Amino acid sequence: MSQVEISSTRRRRGRASLMAAREAEKTPRLSTIKYALSPVEVVSADQLERIHQASMAILRDVGIDFRDETAIRQWREAGADVRGHRVHLEEDMVMDLIAKAPRSFELRSRDPEQRITVSPETLTFGTMQGAPNVRDVDGVRRASTMEDLRDVNRLTQMLPGFHVAGGFTCEPTDIAVPWRHLHINRSSLVETNLPYFGLTTGQERAEDSIAMARIAYGEDFMKSNAVIIGQISGNSPLVWDATMLEGLRVYAEANQAVLLSPFILGAANTPADVAATVAQLNAEAVAGLAYTQLTAPGAKMIYGQYSVSVSMRSGAPMSGMPEVSLVNVLVGQLARRYGIPWRTTASQSSAKTFDPQSGYESAIAYMSGATAKSNLFLHAGGWDEAGLVCCLAKFVADAEQNLLIAKYAEGISFDHFDEALEAVRRIGPGGHYLGDSFTLKRFKDAFISPEMLDYLSYEQWKAQGSKDMAQRCREKAKMLLSSYEAPLIDAAVREELDAFVAKRQEQISPSLA
Amino acid sequence: MSQVEISSTRRRRGRASLMAAREAEKTPRLSTIKYALSPVEVVSADQLERIHQASMAILRDVGIDFRDETAIRQWREAGADVRGHRVHLEEDMVMDLIAKAPRSFELRSRDPEQRITVSPETLTFGTMQGAPNVRDVDGVRRASTMEDLRDVNRLTQMLPGFHVAGGFTCEPTDIAVPWRHLHINRSSLVETNLPYFGLTTGQERAEDSIAMARIAYGEDFMKSNAVIIGQISGNSPLVWDATMLEGLRVYAEANQAVLLSPFILGAANTPADVAATVAQLNAEAVAGLAYTQLTAPGAKMIYGQYSVSVSMRSGAPMSGMPEVSLVNVLVGQLARRYGIPWRTTASQSSAKTFDPQSGYESAIAYMSGATAKSNLFLHAGGWDEAGLVCCLAKFVADAEQNLLIAKYAEGISFDHFDEALEAVRRIGPGGHYLGDSFTLKRFKDAFISPEMLDYLSYEQWKAQGSKDMAQRCREKAKMLLSSYEAPLIDAAVREELDAFVAKRQEQISPSLA
């Protein structure tokens, strides 16, 4: 009952034409994805107001630490109640500051055609960040190197499912820590031509990141265009640290986008309660967003959050959990209230190998984010083992999932509805549609056809080597890497980037202080 | 950045207490799950009306085949425009009939405490149906037998994530086809005490199914209580066959629940257009639902649909596709318009082995159904290889996913919100919550802790044998089956069931006519 029976010659001919038409096409890179879904909501307007007010009460009564002298001075000058590093904020000041932010902004690429709008109405996919290990194209888990990071960028450039590339997808552990940001930025700019994640940990690394972007894009261009996103992680509960605030200022003042992400380990650094977890997270996010507008009015910014719950058995973060999906729904409702685009974590898994768990958890995160109308899916490629591994096979699988999620988010078109209903009249009860003219005309756009997901019969699948999805994706990654060609970059720009890296390596000691 | 650091002694002590508390508890069987989410929607009220009107136009102008003499007679007597087996229906008649259906009904179990409400506000999980093969506890794929079907029922009885058991989860291929329904029904009643899926293919098998349920539950009890669901599959496009309509009448007239499911292979038996696919599907469903009320006014019924898109490469059904997720959203919007609970297909995958594809596709289907507020998740356990395999490892994995999805659907409680906010004031910036009194009191209910998903560190996981999720689930299935105890059943009832099976086997030829 669950397998379509294709028995008639007429149907077979129909399918052959369809297959030929499909083979001729190549999937183009995702452009801006505009949501056509009205999202899941889980609280009423009154309850949402209650959470918002709880966040405001936390900021007013408990306060939040800005462990950074510049920020403290700025808050004091703005009239906030500052005691040591503790800042107590009133709702009016916070909301007035947030109101200065643009609701929508563009991310530019070296390809002038590729302009991505980030807004509460759009969906953007970015690669994973921060893995110290890689699971390579042979399935071997090991400490990642610079060459692995470059491979991730090469894959990003070749796979159509990403809008934002680069950053420290995996750590180049074979390069001295104080030099890594230089090589990471260089690879983002040389191996891809997409907007990318810059490095933000501290004043100097942030400045180097901006300087390198300016080499590639030009200082004038960057004055009015964002090409790079700086991720600024919170230190929950209720702390923003100097290292991150320095990075924040450098990016925001250079008119580049910033992503402010409280780092939530539910029940470990928040209360064991979903709504109160969000009240705290929201207090942290809103304070960071307000500070961004205080230091750089009009700065392009994204309401971020990294949320997992924590296993009480092992203390480990748990991906794909319902509480985290509910956090997404609530954060979505709050961010829309504030009119700020917001970020979720897509495709996160805790699996130690690319197995069914990896699939379940990743897809739950994808759908949870899309149905909550999240505007930036960070980590949407490769994330496994709670972020300790960037899995190249999973990177390929996730890139395809991005295409599927994009199609879901874009909803339903009525452009061909009447013509399609004519087909219903033409075919009638008991007929079939495979050879119908409307099917031939529309199937390519109407129904997506993935490549890494397998739809062969069991016998065909066995005849082709009984390859599970992990193996198919490893093979695809190898094939892509062997046929990679770097995007165009001006030779002078490339030389200037190399010279910048060389100069800074001379200036920076390779050993950590 | 993505691993929680548990370094202080205080935190370790906190977690030890939490672990001890968790070990003491056992997960209870899911009771009625009430949605607290407002669902995803993808069309406006006007667009929804347009689809509804397109369905009505199909039923009026194209008509629908009821290939069954009794149904044709009933439609003619009701005043419909009948030409041969083609019935042309007007909106008023169809909607007046559907209005006779209960919005909500109960499913009863042999456990008097276990009463499940099926309604547009609730979520119900049922096992997969119809696999000719099993992937057994050793991971071997082979034709399924009666003992495999019994094992699936045993697992259903032991796992807390199912509301509805039984039916032809996998085909007992070692039993003659004409006798199978007897043994399947017997196993549903003996190995489980839950409401279950009965057999519906034709008058006699349906009558035998009802007769056996009456032996276990009593005829009087069943006059006012549903204990069994009969699935009635449509033959798309626009055909209801006699075999299914006979089953429908037997179930509906016995006051048992019926599930009417058009069988949608998008672009193969529908137009290559999502909205028009739903217009056709809805015409089929609504005609079937209206007929149910024509033949048994007030009958308990569920708006069903099995939907996949079809690969133009192989003709195979594709699970987890965005178009199918969008069909869910639309069917949800339509079913709520009609006030009828509706069914989706949860956890469907096309994977040939229990691999990442299986996880991705299943979770997409789960989340797509939950966010569209589906009221019955059919096939929510074991479905792989496009329904050609019931995988016992996946059955265990899905049973746990059911618990996670239930928690998501139930949304957020504010019962402990104020107390949790007190904890935020108590802990303050830079603190941690693991040892806090509120965490100790609430963590069990606030954050779920799955068992089949693994959160060990890589090193611990390796030390425990590097088991992927498939292996862990196979081991769990073996463990459960080795400790299974059948639910209580009156010895006389059991004897009467056995006698019924024996008597009917004497009456029915084991060879197909």
Side-chain angles (χ1 to χ4, degrees):
Chain A
M1 274 205 357
S2 53
Q3 282 289 73
V4 56
E5 295 291 334
I6 309 288
S7 52
S8 79
T9 313
R10 179 177 155 207
R11 277 197 260 185
R12 255 192 230 109
R13 250 204 319 273
R15 205 165 72 235
S17 323
L18 300 183
M19 286 171 69
R22 175 162 296 284
E23 290 307 316
E25 101 193 70
K26 191 179 172 300
T27 309
R29 178 169 297 286
L30 285 177
S31 54
T32 296
I33 301 155
K34 201 160 177 339
Y35 274 106
L37 303 173
S38 75
V40 166
E41 300 202 329
V42 69
V43 292
S44 66
D46 284 353
Q47 289 170 323
L48 192 70
E49 185 61 20
R50 193 171 163 196
I51 294 177
H52 166 74
Q53 286 304 334
S55 302
M56 295 302 112
I58 291 170
L59 290 179
R60 186 185 61 235
D61 303 339
V62 180
I64 178 162
D65 282 7
F66 283 79
R67 298 182 176 170
D68 172 81
E69 301 313 322
T70 305
I72 286 299
R73 182 179 48 73
Q74 289 170 303
W75 277 125
R76 190 175 285 121
E77 286 169 8
D81 171 6
V82 177
R83 312 171 200 171
H85 285 132
R86 185 78 39 96
V87 181
H88 296 260
L89 295 167
E90 295 289 338
E91 178 176 10
D92 284 355
M93 181 189 282
V94 165
M95 289 297 117
D96 287 351
L97 284 167
I98 285 186
K100 296 181 198 290
R103 181 181 167 83
S104 163
F105 60 87
E106 261 192 352
L107 290 174
R108 297 295 298 272
S109 149
R110 288 219 307 286
D111 174 357
E113 300 295 305
Q114 181 72 358
R115 303 165 76 126
I116 301 302
T117 302
V118 178
S119 83
E121 305 303 326
T122 63
L123 169 53
T124 312
F125 293 104
T127 52
M128 83 162 287
Q129 302 291 301
N133 301 290
V134 70
R135 201 181 293 130
D136 67 18
V137 290
D138 297 312
V140 176
R141 178 195 189 272
R142 53 177 173 74
S144 49
T145 65
M146 189 62 215
E147 195 54 28
D148 295 318
L149 182 139
R150 297 183 68 186
D151 276 350
V152 174
N153 282 333
R154 290 169 181 134
L155 290 174
T156 309
Q157 181 66 21
M158 297 186 82
L159 291 162
F162 295 101
H163 297 106
V164 187
F168 58 125
T169 48
C170 56
E171 286 285 352
T173 58
D174 52 343
I175 294 187
V177 172
W179 292 354
R180 283 183 191 169
H181 68 289
L182 302 167
H183 295 267
I184 293 172
N185 280 313
R186 182 189 174 284
S187 176
S188 299
L189 284 163
V190 169
E191 263 92 29
T192 90
N193 64 0
L194 300 174
Y196 64 101
F197 296 104
L199 284 294
T200 52
T201 46
Q203 188 82 23
E204 282 202 0
R205 291 180 193 165
E207 284 174 351
D208 284 343
S209 301
I210 297 293
M212 292 178 76
R214 283 180 177 149
I215 292 170
Y217 282 94
E219 192 163 348
D220 279 353
F221 185 83
M222 281 178 64
K223 273 188 188 145
S224 45
N225 294 288
V227 301
I228 180 170
I229 300 180
Q231 194 190 340
I232 311 300
S233 290
N235 184 356
S236 304
L238 295 165
V239 177
W240 289 100
D241 284 320
T243 311
M244 292 272 88
L245 292 171
E246 289 170 9
L248 168 64
R249 283 191 293 267
V250 171
Y251 276 69
E253 285 158 19
N255 196 29
Q256 301 305 296
V258 289
L259 165 60
L260 287 108
S261 298
F263 187 77
I264 299 304
L265 305 163
N269 65 15
T270 72
D273 181 274
V274 172
T277 289
V278 172
Q280 178 192 307
L281 175 174
N282 187 52
E284 296 165 3
V286 156
L289 294 165
Y291 174 71
T292 306
Q293 296 302 319
L294 178 65
T295 197
K300 296 159 181 170
M301 63 185 194
I302 300 169
Y303 180 137
Q305 48 105 9
Y306 172 83
S307 301
V308 289
S309 50
V310 167
S311 166
M312 293 298 156
R313 292 201 184 94
S314 65
M318 304 194 292
S319 311
M321 290 301 99
E323 298 83 13
V324 175
S325 298
L326 291 166
V327 168
N328 274 337
V329 179
L330 279 178
V331 170
Q333 291 193 251
L334 286 163
R336 285 190 290 280
R337 182 191 192 284
Y338 305 136
I340 307 283
W342 70 283
R343 162 243 156 152
T344 190
T345 301
S347 191
Q348 57 188 145
S349 165
S350 301
K352 256 58 71 183
T353 180
F354 191 27
D355 73 350
Q357 173 173 355
S358 194
Y360 279 108
E361 291 177 335
S362 297
I364 294 282
Y366 269 118
M367 284 296 285
S368 150
T371 54
K373 208 173 171 180
S374 176
N375 311 113
L376 172 62
F377 279 35
L378 192 65
H379 305 310
W383 178 286
D384 230 341
E385 209 184 299
L388 294 178
V389 157
C390 178
C391 171
L392 297 194
K394 184 166 188 290
F395 195 86
V396 170
D398 288 343
E400 181 166 276
Q401 290 293 318
N402 294 352
L403 303 179
L404 303 183
I405 291 290
K407 183 124 198 242
Y408 172 69
E410 288 180 328
I412 286 160
S413 156
F414 281 85
D415 291 353
H416 304 273
F417 187 58
D418 291 331
E419 198 183 346
L421 292 174
E422 284 307 311
V424 178
R425 289 169 190 265
R426 194 161 55 235
I427 304 294
H432 46 75
Y433 289 78
L434 280 179
D436 184 67
S437 58
F438 181 77
T439 309
L440 285 165
K441 181 176 157 191
R442 288 292 309 151
F443 81 96
K444 280 197 305 277
D445 297 315
F447 293 92
I448 207 163
S449 186
E451 185 190 343
M452 301 320 302
L453 300 169
D454 172 80
Y455 304 108
L456 299 174
S457 71
Y458 179 75
E459 291 71 23
Q460 290 169 317
W461 175 80
K462 222 173 143 184
Q464 296 192 11
S466 302
K467 295 173 187 171
D468 73 357
M469 190 188 203
Q471 187 177 347
R472 296 194 301 272
C473 290
R474 285 197 298 271
E475 291 177 2
K476 174 77 175 183
K478 278 186 200 178
M479 190 275 285
L480 286 171
L481 290 173
S482 71
S483 61
Y484 169 80
E485 288 178 31
L488 289 179
I489 188 167
D490 193 279
V493 166
R494 190 165 171 150
E495 279 168 30
E496 202 178 334
L497 285 171
D498 290 344
F500 185 91
V501 171
K503 182 191 73 183
R504 292 293 289 145
Q505 285 200 174
E506 276 177 34
Q507 295 167 343
I508 304 170
S509 162
S511 358
L512 284 170
Chain B
M1 273 204 359
S2 52
Q3 283 289 72
V4 57
E5 294 291 334
I6 308 287
S7 52
S8 80
T9 312
R10 179 176 152 208
R11 276 197 262 184
R12 253 191 233 113
R13 251 205 319 273
R15 204 165 71 235
S17 323
L18 299 182
M19 285 172 69
R22 174 161 296 285
E23 290 306 317
E25 102 192 71
K26 192 179 172 296
T27 309
R29 178 168 298 285
L30 286 177
S31 55
T32 296
I33 300 155
K34 201 160 176 342
Y35 274 107
L37 303 173
S38 76
V40 167
E41 300 202 328
V42 69
V43 292
S44 66
D46 284 353
Q47 288 170 323
L48 192 70
E49 185 61 20
R50 192 170 164 198
I51 294 176
H52 166 75
Q53 286 304 334
S55 301
M56 294 301 112
I58 291 170
L59 290 179
R60 185 184 62 234
D61 303 338
V62 180
I64 179 163
D65 282 7
F66 282 79
R67 297 182 177 170
D68 172 80
E69 301 313 322
T70 305
I72 285 300
R73 182 179 47 73
Q74 289 170 304
W75 277 125
R76 189 176 285 120
E77 286 169 8
D81 172 6
V82 177
R83 311 171 200 172
H85 286 132
R86 184 79 38 97
V87 181
H88 297 260
L89 294 167
E90 295 290 337
E91 178 177 10
D92 284 355
M93 180 188 282
V94 165
M95 289 297 117
D96 287 351
L97 284 167
I98 284 185
K100 295 180 198 290
R103 181 181 167 83
S104 164
F105 60 86
E106 261 192 353
L107 289 174
R108 297 296 298 273
S109 148
R110 287 219 308 287
D111 174 357
E113 299 295 304
Q114 181 72 359
R115 302 164 77 125
I116 302 302
T117 302
V118 179
S119 83
E121 305 302 326
T122 63
L123 169 53
T124 312
F125 293 104
T127 51
M128 81 161 288
Q129 302 290 302
N133 301 290
V134 71
R135 201 181 295 130
D136 67 19
V137 290
D138 297 313
V140 177
R141 178 194 189 273
R142 52 177 175 73
S144 50
T145 65
M146 189 63 215
E147 195 55 27
D148 295 317
L149 182 139
R150 297 183 69 186
D151 277 349
V152 174
N153 282 333
R154 290 169 181 134
L155 289 174
T156 309
Q157 181 68 20
M158 297 186 83
L159 291 163
F162 296 101
H163 296 106
V164 187
F168 58 124
T169 48
C170 56
E171 287 285 351
T173 58
D174 52 344
I175 294 188
V177 172
W179 291 353
R180 284 184 190 168
H181 68 288
L182 302 167
H183 295 268
I184 292 171
N185 280 313
R186 183 187 174 283
S187 176
S188 299
L189 284 163
V190 169
E191 264 93 30
T192 91
N193 64 0
L194 299 174
Y196 63 101
F197 296 105
L199 283 295
T200 52
T201 45
Q203 188 82 21
E204 281 202 1
R205 290 179 194 166
E207 284 174 352
D208 284 344
S209 299
I210 297 294
M212 292 178 76
R214 284 179 176 150
I215 292 170
Y217 281 94
E219 191 163 349
D220 278 353
F221 184 83
M222 282 179 63
K223 273 187 188 147
S224 44
N225 294 287
V227 301
I228 182 170
I229 300 180
Q231 194 191 340
I232 311 300
S233 289
N235 183 357
S236 304
L238 295 166
V239 177
W240 290 101
D241 284 320
T243 312
M244 292 272 89
L245 291 171
E246 288 169 10
L248 167 65
R249 283 191 294 268
V250 171
Y251 276 69
E253 284 159 19
N255 196 28
Q256 301 305 296
V258 289
L259 165 60
L260 287 108
S261 299
F263 186 77
I264 300 304
L265 305 163
N269 64 16
T270 72
D273 181 274
V274 171
T277 289
V278 172
Q280 178 192 307
L281 175 174
N282 187 52
E284 295 166 4
V286 156
L289 294 166
Y291 174 70
T292 305
Q293 296 302 319
L294 178 64
T295 197
K300 296 158 181 169
M301 63 186 194
I302 300 169
Y303 181 136
Q305 47 104 10
Y306 172 84
S307 301
V308 289
S309 50
V310 167
S311 165
M312 294 298 157
R313 292 201 184 94
S314 65
M318 304 194 292
S319 310
M321 291 300 100
E323 298 83 15
V324 174
S325 297
L326 291 166
V327 168
N328 274 337
V329 180
L330 279 178
V331 170
Q333 290 194 253
L334 286 163
R336 284 190 291 280
R337 181 190 192 284
Y338 305 136
I340 306 284
W342 70 282
R343 163 242 155 153
T344 190
T345 301
S347 191
Q348 56 188 145
S349 165
S350 301
K352 257 56 73 182
T353 180
F354 190 28
D355 73 350
Q357 173 173 354
S358 194
Y360 280 108
E361 291 177 334
S362 297
I364 294 282
Y366 269 119
M367 284 296 285
S368 150
T371 54
K373 210 174 173 181
S374 176
N375 310 114
L376 172 62
F377 279 36
L378 192 65
H379 305 309
W383 177 286
D384 231 340
E385 209 184 299
L388 294 177
V389 157
C390 178
C391 171
L392 297 195
K394 185 167 187 289
F395 195 86
V396 170
D398 289 342
E400 181 166 275
Q401 290 293 318
N402 294 352
L403 303 179
L404 303 183
I405 291 290
K407 183 123 199 244
Y408 172 68
E410 288 180 327
I412 285 160
S413 157
F414 281 85
D415 291 353
H416 305 273
F417 187 58
D418 292 330
E419 197 183 347
L421 292 174
E422 284 306 311
V424 178
R425 289 169 190 265
R426 194 160 55 234
I427 303 295
H432 46 75
Y433 289 79
L434 279 179
D436 184 67
S437 58
F438 181 76
T439 309
L440 286 165
K441 181 176 156 190
R442 289 293 307 150
F443 81 96
K444 281 198 305 277
D445 296 315
F447 292 93
I448 207 163
S449 186
E451 185 190 344
M452 301 321 301
L453 299 170
D454 173 79
Y455 304 108
L456 298 174
S457 72
Y458 180 74
E459 291 70 23
Q460 290 170 315
W461 175 80
K462 221 174 145 185
Q464 295 192 11
S466 301
K467 296 173 186 172
D468 73 357
M469 190 189 203
Q471 186 178 348
R472 296 195 302 273
C473 290
R474 286 196 298 271
E475 290 177 3
K476 175 78 174 182
K478 279 186 198 177
M479 189 276 284
L480 286 171
L481 290 173
S482 71
S483 61
Y484 169 79
E485 287 178 32
L488 288 178
I489 189 167
D490 194 279
V493 166
R494 190 166 170 149
E495 279 167 29
E496 202 178 333
L497 285 171
D498 290 344
F500 185 92
V501 171
K503 182 190 75 183
R504 292 293 290 144
Q505 285 201 173
E506 276 178 32
Q507 294 167 344
I508 304 170
S509 161
S511 357
L512 285 168

